[in-house]
Amino acid sequence: MWINNFLDLFGNFLYAYILIPLLIFAGVYFTFRTRFVQFRLLKDAFKALTEKADRGKVSSFKSLMISTASKIGVGHIAGIASAIIIGGPGSVFWMWIMAILGSASAFIESTLAQIYKVKDENGGFRGGPAYYMQKVFNKKWLGVLFSCLLIAGYAYGFNALQSFQLSSALTPYIKDYNSGIYPMVVGFILAVVTALAIWGGTHRVGFISAYVVPVMSLAYISLSVYIGVKNFDKIPEMFSTIFKEAFNFKAIFGAMFYKSALMMGTKRGLFSNEAGMGSSPNAAATADVLHPVNQGLAQILSVFIDTLLICSATSFIVLLSGVDFCCGLEDIPLVQEAVKNQVGPFGVYLIAFSIFAFAFTSIIGNYSYAETNVLFIKNSKLLLNIFRVTCVITVFLGAQADAKTVWNISDLLMGLMAVVNIVVILLIGNIAIKALKDYLAQKKKGQTPVFVAKNASIENTDVWS
């Protein structure tokens, strides 16, 4: 299909020669500008999660779980397996590097989202890149442009994709699924459950995420730990292979760079944790905290949970299972075969359950991002309800969609969105650095950091004035 060929070509060029270099530069730049905040203040990041919110508002922990829910999708199973199949085990190393560097960018964008958040009609907060773009540059059109890209990519592209992957992953266990009736049934059930969640608003999304995300993440990580313990003698060889294949000629320049370990690992690392992409700040802004830096630090943990734990879990399952990742199986079927080889047929059903949990929480997390941006464009109840209806329809239709087309469109929209955001945070990141200096100055005096915008020489804020 010519449209897919065009999207492949344009998307690969955008990622390889524009977006990934930008994200790497931003990660390195902010790591040094913040003096390695992702390591230096890691203890404070954990402490930030214990901060309680006022009644009826979203806590730092719930905000983190909304962010993590959106990130942790089926791609963390299928996507990581795909990276290993295409780029080899060396991809895992570059995935780790991107998480470490990207966490500094995540800190900057989430701190900015907190600084420029606004109050909503329910007494809570909302914000994100569209909001800080308008506040700092005084150009609403720039925020609207970003919002449109995010809404199209997350509410429609990625949610249709999550629905499709859930449907396709479960079809082998249902008789007569080729009749076309089963995908419609899956789509209908998922659409109904999604509707119940999103009409409850951000607070219900936060409640669901706060309970489902930790449970499903721990279960999946536990599975990888079990397989690791069972194959303990293979672990040194696995790490040796990962490091060795991360730096050889093929790993760097394989298949004209697009299919190298560097490309696949970097791409998967960057886009699994979304650091610098402009998505997570929409969740970070909802948190009720004493200082914007608190939530910036919390988002560092989201990146680490996403890549260093969940993505690594899939990597270890595949690489330690004894299944040849070049055997011809693709993505989810490869992971299912790997788990089956280690724990028997039960493992296949466990992966199927994980896929459902990952897909559902990702859908509602993606929706929460998109809702924030719809309200930025126009705060209208009628518009919001129409938008919600279209989101539910998208989930239903997504179960029957063409995966390649949806993937290509989603990747392109996400890439364009990220380019806009990364350029913006490079231009205004110094504002987040000011907030960090204010936070550290108060800590040095033995005080609990409480943010007052004028004390940090920051202007044009609604909540912190």
Side-chain angles (χ1 to χ4, degrees), residues 1-13 408 412:
M1 189 176 180
W2 71 268
I3 187 66
N4 275 327
N5 292 333
F6 170 77
L7 291 172
D8 270 337
L9 182 63
F10 184 55
N12 282 334
F13 177 83
N408 283 335
L412 182 58

Side-chain angles (χ1 to χ4, degrees), residues 18-100:
I18 300 176
L19 182 54
I20 287 179
L22 261 178
L23 287 167
I24 292 174
F25 173 79
V28 173
Y29 174 72
F30 288 128
T31 292
F32 282 96
R33 282 298 311 276
T34 60
R35 292 191 296 141
F36 294 83
V37 67
Q38 61 266 58
F39 301 114
R40 188 162 55 103
L41 296 179
L42 193 58
K43 182 179 177 181
D44 289 49
F46 283 101
K47 186 178 179 181
L49 298 183
T50 64
E51 188 175 339
K52 293 183 179 180
D54 289 341
R55 191 176 190 83
K57 294 182 180 178
V58 176
S59 69
S60 180
F61 176 75
K62 283 186 178 180
S63 172
L64 176 69
M65 289 300 103
I66 293 172
S67 171
T68 306
S70 177
K71 293 175 183 175
I72 300 177
V74 176
H76 286 66
I77 299 175
I80 301 307
S82 176
I84 293 174
I85 292 169
I86 297 171
S91 302
V92 179
F93 172 81
W94 294 111
M95 178 183 73
W96 292 334
I97 295 299
M98 287 308 103
I100 293 170

Side-chain angles (χ1 to χ4, degrees), residues 101-180:
L101 292 177
S103 59
S105 299
F107 167 80
I108 294 294
E109 63 180 357
S110 295
T111 301
L112 286 170
Q114 267 288 324
I115 291 171
Y116 294 107
K117 68 185 179 182
V118 299
K119 284 188 176 181
D120 64 22
E121 60 277 4
N122 298 316
F125 305 107
R126 65 172 181 266
Y131 293 79
Y132 57 67
M133 288 175 192
Q134 180 190 21
K135 289 286 186 180
V136 176
F137 297 111
N138 195 28
K139 296 182 185 299
K140 185 164 184 175
W141 68 264
L142 184 59
V144 170
L145 170 64
F146 178 86
S147 292
C148 290
L149 290 171
L150 186 144
I151 292 166
Y154 277 77
Y156 303 124
F158 284 131
N159 276 357
L161 184 60
Q162 293 290 340
S163 181
F164 172 83
Q165 289 181 323
L166 173 61
S167 174
S168 61
L170 298 180
T171 48
Y173 312 110
I174 307 296
K175 293 181 179 180
D176 299 324
Y177 66 87
N178 285 326
S179 66

Side-chain angles (χ1 to χ4, degrees), residues 315-337:
S315 303
F316 296 161
I317 288 171
V318 172
L319 296 175
L320 292 173
S321 66
V323 173
D324 182 6
F325 56 84
C326 297
C327 63
L329 291 174
E330 295 183 358
D331 304 346
I332 291 175
L334 175 63
V335 180
Q336 289 175 317
E337 184 63 26

Side-chain angles (χ1 to χ4, degrees), residues 234-434:
K234 297 179 182 178
I235 291 179
E237 181 184 355
M238 178 191 71
F239 278 106
S240 175
T241 302
I242 289 172
F243 292 123
K244 182 175 68 176
E245 296 199 18
F247 294 100
N248 60 33
F249 183 85
K250 182 181 177 181
I252 305 297
F253 301 104
M256 297 298 291
F257 186 66
Y258 291 138
K259 294 184 180 179
S260 68
L262 174 61
M263 177 64 167
M264 293 306 300
T266 301
K267 186 175 180 180
R268 192 53 57 204
L270 290 171
F271 294 103
S272 65
N273 57 54
E274 302 175 12
M277 306 275 295
S279 52
S280 298
N282 294 277
T286 65
D288 180 28
V289 293
L290 295 174
H291 200 290
V293 167
N294 288 345
Q295 198 57 31
L297 293 173
Q299 289 304 315
I300 290 175
L301 294 180
S302 179
V303 174
F304 288 167
I305 291 169
D306 175 89
T307 303
L308 300 185
L309 290 180
I310 306 297
C311 290
S312 293
T314 298
S315 303
F316 296 161
I317 288 171
V318 172
L319 296 175
L320 292 173
S321 66
V323 173
D324 182 6
F325 56 84
C326 297
C327 63
L329 291 174
E330 295 183 358
D331 304 346
I332 291 175
L334 175 63
V335 180
Q336 289 175 317
E337 184 63 26
V339 174
K340 181 181 178 181
N341 192 51
Q342 292 295 311
V343 301
F346 168 74
V348 177
Y349 297 103
L350 181 60
I351 292 298
F353 171 76
S354 298
I355 289 167
F356 174 79
F358 285 162
F360 174 63
T361 55
S362 185
I363 285 171
I364 61 173
N366 289 343
Y367 166 79
S368 70
Y369 291 173
E371 180 186 282
T372 295
N373 285 271
V374 168
L375 293 172
F376 172 80
I377 295 172
K378 186 174 178 61
N379 192 346
S380 162
K381 266 193 174 180
L382 175 61
L383 177 63
L384 182 60
N385 283 321
I386 292 172
F387 171 67
R388 287 173 173 173
V389 170
T390 64
C391 288
V392 172
I393 292 172
T394 297
V395 170
F396 171 71
L397 295 177
Q400 307 147 66
D402 174 65
K404 185 172 178 59
T405 302
V406 178
W407 256 122
N408 283 335
I409 292 173
S410 299
D411 278 345
L412 182 58
L413 289 168
M414 194 172 187
L416 293 171
M417 179 188 83
V419 168
V420 174
N421 183 65
I422 204 72
V423 170
V424 167
I425 66 171
L426 282 169
L427 291 173
I428 67 173
N430 191 54
I431 297 172
I433 303 296
K434 285 183 180 180

